[in-house]
Amino acid sequence: MAVKLTAYSHGAGCGCKLSPAILGEILSGSASPFYRGLLVGNENKDDAAVYQIDEKSAIISTTDFFMPIVDDPHDFGGIAATNAISDVYAMGGTPLMAIAILGWPVNKLSSQTAKEVLEGGKEACERAGIPLAGGHSIDAPEPIFGLAVTGKANLEHIKTNGMAQPGDLIYLTKPLGIGMITTAQKKGYADEEDLSLALKSMLKLNDLGAKISQCPYVHALTDVTGFGFGGHLLEVLEASEVGAEIHAEHIPKFPFVDKYLKLGAIPGGTQRNWDSYGKKINFQYGMGDHRLLADPQTSGGLLVTIHSKFKDDFEHTLSRLGYKLSSFGQITAGPVNRIQVIN
């Protein structure tokens, strides 16, 4: 009988992250003190830490782990690893190696199942061209897996979430809706075709980040995970001291989103996210559906802002790399730290 990992966890993927509000309370007053060489710490809630090692290069360090987002152990390991490695790409870097983090309920799930999780993680690392070089494990009440990842970057290619500028165009490299389909799966009414589409997306590396970071007209870069698109865009706005305007009908989403919205497949994390930052998102005429903006993503896409003058160049570069994307919003001078959603 096949193991269903999601039955052993109370949360799913990045949806089990602490809410932005609670995390903000925990981190309040704990911004990284000055250390010579530390270029990016935790002051702006960026994707990873960056430490300069010489005149031209820096080391990137990050960690990410969570509870099962899918039932298959191998897929769970692959998704968790892909998600963790993404933080390095989101800083404009390339990964060097990874260390595994495993929490396992040894009295509930077999060691063979844990081995399958690790194999999935190892395969994701191999696709990224890095070794899974070691790790640490504990006996835990629920299954947990992820990675600590070390990467590198040229100083001139490092991108942070605080580099957006007024007039920038906004792009997203993967569609939204992962939280909805995985919730539907846990409730037992997700279509296999939809699950397959979501799985393919979650297992896709965000190595695009390392490539586009070399374009000087690419400004801010971050990945979209448990706080949802709205939450991570707000982190960009707060770090950059700007605002944003997005077009609701053009936000990238999976074709199955409307179906699962009607079925009420809404993760608990959606409401926690909205309670944390909903007051900073304004809908035109006061009407709109916030659930897509706050939907927790696992191994989501890259949120990118670019100088509007280079729209054609950027989209041509994306096309050459296998992405067909269009802008659906822009960065504004104000209101600062606010998202305006228009039809």
Side-chain angles (χ1 to χ4, degrees):
M1 183 176 178
V3 172
K4 290 193 173 184
L5 282 185
T6 56
Y8 293 87
S9 63
H10 75 276
C14 290
C16 62
K17 289 174 68 171
L18 295 177
S19 74
I22 293 175
L23 183 61
E25 292 176 9
I26 293 171
L27 296 178
S28 177
S30 64
S32 304
F34 173 78
Y35 284 96
R36 183 170 182 160
L38 182 63
L39 303 182
V40 181
N42 65 359
E43 55 280 346
N44 285 330
K45 306 173 186 175
D46 222 322
D47 297 292
V50 180
Y51 195 93
Q52 183 175 350
I53 56 174
D54 57 38
E55 293 181 355
K56 295 183 178 181
S57 57
I59 288 292
I60 301 173
S61 182
T62 185
T63 185
D64 210 316
F65 54 90
F66 48 65
M67 291 171 278
I69 184 75
V70 293
D71 288 323
D72 182 84
H74 188 275
D75 288 340
F76 168 47
I79 293 167
T82 302
N83 180 76
I85 296 168
S86 176
D87 286 341
V88 172
Y89 293 132
M91 302 302 297
T94 55
L96 292 171
M97 68 174 182
I99 303 293
I101 300 164
L102 178 70
W104 204 250
V106 295
N107 61 335
K108 298 177 184 178
L109 290 167
S110 71
S111 57
Q112 176 59 37
T113 303
K115 183 178 180 180
E116 292 176 32
V117 172
L118 284 171
E119 284 298 318
K122 182 181 178 182
E123 286 187 16
C125 289
E126 289 173 350
R127 287 189 289 111
I130 63 173
L132 183 54
H136 183 67
S137 60
I138 62 169
D139 184 358
E142 297 177 292
I144 298 169
F145 182 68
L147 303 177
V149 188
T150 301
K152 64 178 180 178
N154 293 332
L155 293 179
E156 61 183 11
H157 297 157
I158 292 171
K159 304 295 181 181
T160 73
N161 64 1
M163 300 171 73
Q165 300 177 20
D168 279 1
L169 300 178
I170 300 171
Y171 291 82
L172 183 62
T173 64
K174 292 183 183 180
L176 302 176
I178 291 294
M180 297 176 199
I181 181 63
T182 53
T183 298
Q185 177 194 28
K186 200 161 187 176
K187 292 182 176 182
Y189 54 76
D191 291 339
E192 286 300 321
E193 183 179 351
D194 299 334
L195 285 170
S196 178
L197 190 61
L199 178 62
K200 182 179 179 181
S201 176
M202 288 189 284
L203 288 172
K204 184 177 179 61
L205 291 169
N206 277 329
D207 52 351
L208 176 69
K211 300 167 185 174
I212 63 175
S213 68
Q214 299 177 39
C215 302
Y217 55 76
V218 170
H219 293 159
L221 189 63
T222 191
D223 62 355
V224 176
T225 56
F227 295 161
F229 172 75
H232 290 287
L233 177 56
L234 282 167
E235 287 180 342
V236 169
L237 304 187
E238 290 163 4
S240 306
E241 298 184 346
V242 292
E245 182 179 273
I246 59 175
H247 298 268
E249 61 189 52
H250 298 308
I251 298 173
K253 63 181 182 180
F254 284 104
F256 54 67
V257 161
D258 291 339
K259 173 172 62 178
Y260 292 114
L261 278 174
K262 291 178 182 177
L263 291 172
I266 309 302
T270 297
Q271 193 58 47
R272 290 194 298 273
N273 283 340
W274 191 251
D275 289 343
S276 296
Y277 57 69
K279 61 183 178 295
K280 298 179 181 180
I281 300 179
N282 304 313
F283 287 88
Q284 187 179 37
Y285 311 124
M287 305 206 34
D289 193 334
H290 69 273
R291 293 175 295 178
L292 182 63
L293 297 178
D295 186 57
Q297 305 303 290
T298 297
S299 194
L302 297 173
L303 191 168
V304 191
T305 79
I306 72 158
H307 193 297
S308 59
K309 180 181 177 181
F310 297 93
K311 176 181 183 294
D312 291 341
D313 288 349
F314 183 61
E315 293 182 5
H316 176 73
T317 298
L318 290 173
S319 178
R320 186 165 44 83
L321 294 171
Y323 292 79
K324 186 177 181 180
L325 303 176
S326 299
S327 169
F328 58 98
Q330 63 180 5
I331 300 298
T332 61
V336 174
N337 302 342
R338 294 290 187 273
I339 299 173
Q340 310 296 325
V341 184
I342 64 176
N343 295 328

